[in-house]
Amino acid sequence: MPKAKLITIALALILVLALHVISTRRVSTILVSGSTSVEPLMCVWAYAYSRIKPDVRIDVYGGGSGKGILQVGSGVVELGAHSRPILDEDPPFNNVTIALANDAVLIVVNKKMPLIGVTRKALQAIFNYPPQEYPVETWIRVLLDDKPVDVKVTIERGHEGLIFMRSDLVNLTLRPYIRSEASGTAETLAAFLYGSWKAKWSGLQGMGVSGNEGMRRAVEEDDIAIGFLAKAIFNPARMRALLIMVWNGTMLIPYNGYDYDSTTGVPTDESIAKGAQGMALIKEHGRVPGGYPIARELYVSLNLDALEGRIPKYIADFLTWCLTEGQEFVELVGYVRLNEEQVSKGLELVEAHCSCGGEDM
């Protein structure tokens, strides 16, 4: 047989074998749903991981933290993403919960608004949570002639939920925006205002919008808007992050003494990590030195009962990657990397519950 023909046959056989391998390759799918705060980071991770593990497909859906916890608890998805802890009120299930990043909930206003700093008491009055008796007196920081000035104001709640802040120096009108669906971001703010995770996101009062993106659009488009969103969604060109402050008897100072960017008002990564790990938002008077008070860890949870008691290797490998190499993407999305202690804790949880000696599927 001619040599050229042998080569052609050999190449054809190689092609057939390659196609057979491709057609019989098993693709493992991981379904993720939940927090719209975790969603942008998880989408980046899903794409990056698929480049190095093409036999693992990761489908990511939003819907809010409540949806993520509900769906993983009922076995609909493998990973439920949530931006607040699992609470006693959530449907119980045999969960393993792993922190994957740190985040801050920013209180934001339209950039045209001269307000630059508020107290916890002012936020309680703005969102009427816990329910307030108006008028409320407290301190705020505003820009007057482009200079920061601390002003004592009286806060009233008016028609259609508008908020009026008045003093001899200022006369501000604010329109509060809240989340219209079960939201870890809203739950985190409510916990800070209430001082406990027993707080209810549904207790916040204002105009409802859907998701972090809905909140971003509302604040960007409404000159008198005040709302809250995840740090990764913050747009410094169109909005300002308010400083969270306390009155020390002489002047307003940052809550817990946290550090922040003087241009945008956004807390530093170190302040966010300290606040998130120390659960500053539910501790009396913060009591986490240097920690931004409305900070949180971002989580995924697994339902061990739905996974027959152990985490499959392909899921464990993905989570391990998120906790190690995948941390390089956290800051690119706008969140804050885990510290060494948080990483070690996550890896220990994965290893303790992994069926790593078994099949990939």
Side-chain angles (χ1 to χ4, degrees), residues 268-290:
T268 63
D269 287 356
E270 183 180 3
S271 294
I272 293 170
K274 285 180 179 179
Q277 192 178 18
M279 284 288 188
L281 76 168
I282 58 171
K283 293 189 175 178
E284 186 179 359
H285 307 304
R287 292 187 177 173
V288 179

Side-chain angles (χ1 to χ4, degrees), residues 45-54 56 58 314 317-318 321:
W45 274 340
Y47 176 78
Y49 195 70
S50 70
R51 307 297 290 178
I52 59 175
K53 289 282 189 178
V56 177
I58 303 165
Y314 70 97
D317 287 346
F318 172 61
W321 179 86

Side-chain angles (χ1 to χ4, degrees), residues 55-261:
D55 56 341
V56 177
R57 173 178 169 175
I58 303 165
D59 293 337
V60 182
Y61 304 92
S65 293
K67 178 181 178 182
I69 293 170
L70 181 64
Q71 289 198 330
V72 73
S74 58
V76 175
V77 299
E78 284 76 29
L79 298 178
H82 46 106
S83 55
R84 49 85 169 167
I86 293 178
L87 307 174
D88 292 341
E89 305 86 69
D90 291 315
F93 63 98
N94 186 14
N95 69 292
V96 174
T97 298
I98 300 168
L100 295 180
N102 296 307
D103 181 35
V105 176
L106 304 180
I107 307 299
V108 292
V109 294
N110 186 284
K111 206 158 189 179
K112 295 179 181 179
M113 176 67 61
L115 184 63
I116 59 174
V118 290
T119 62
R120 181 168 175 260
K121 187 176 182 180
L123 290 175
Q124 289 171 333
I126 290 167
F127 294 104
N128 196 26
Y129 192 75
Q132 302 290 298
E133 290 188 10
Y134 296 92
V136 173
E137 288 190 351
T138 187
W139 290 83
I140 61 172
R141 179 168 290 178
V142 295
L143 284 173
L144 293 179
D145 298 325
D146 293 327
K147 295 180 180 179
V149 178
D150 295 342
V151 180
K152 189 174 185 179
V153 294
T154 298
I155 301 178
E156 298 271 10
R157 192 172 192 88
H159 182 61
E160 295 183 348
L162 289 177
I163 296 296
F164 305 106
M165 293 181 166
R166 297 190 176 99
S167 76
D168 293 339
L169 294 176
V170 299
N171 187 359
L172 301 180
T173 300
L174 301 174
R175 181 179 290 112
Y177 285 87
I178 61 171
R179 292 283 290 275
S180 59
E181 76 285 349
S183 157
T185 304
E187 200 90 46
T188 302
L189 173 59
F192 171 63
L193 299 181
Y194 193 75
S196 166
W197 281 114
K198 293 182 179 180
K200 302 293 185 183
W201 68 270
S202 56
L204 302 173
Q205 293 188 20
M207 293 190 65
V209 294
S210 179
N212 275 295
E213 282 297 327
M215 185 68 74
R216 179 188 61 79
R217 288 192 297 271
V219 174
E220 288 179 350
E221 296 169 5
D222 185 349
D223 291 355
I224 64 170
I226 182 169
F228 52 90
L229 42 68
K231 176 178 178 287
I233 314 297
F234 177 71
N235 177 9
R238 302 283 298 278
M239 58 181 70
R240 177 184 293 113
L242 297 185
L243 303 179
I244 311 302
M245 314 190 82
V246 294
W247 179 254
N248 70 356
T250 304
M251 62 184 295
L252 288 170
I253 59 174
Y255 204 100
N256 286 334
Y258 75 88
D259 292 326
Y260 59 92
D261 183 290

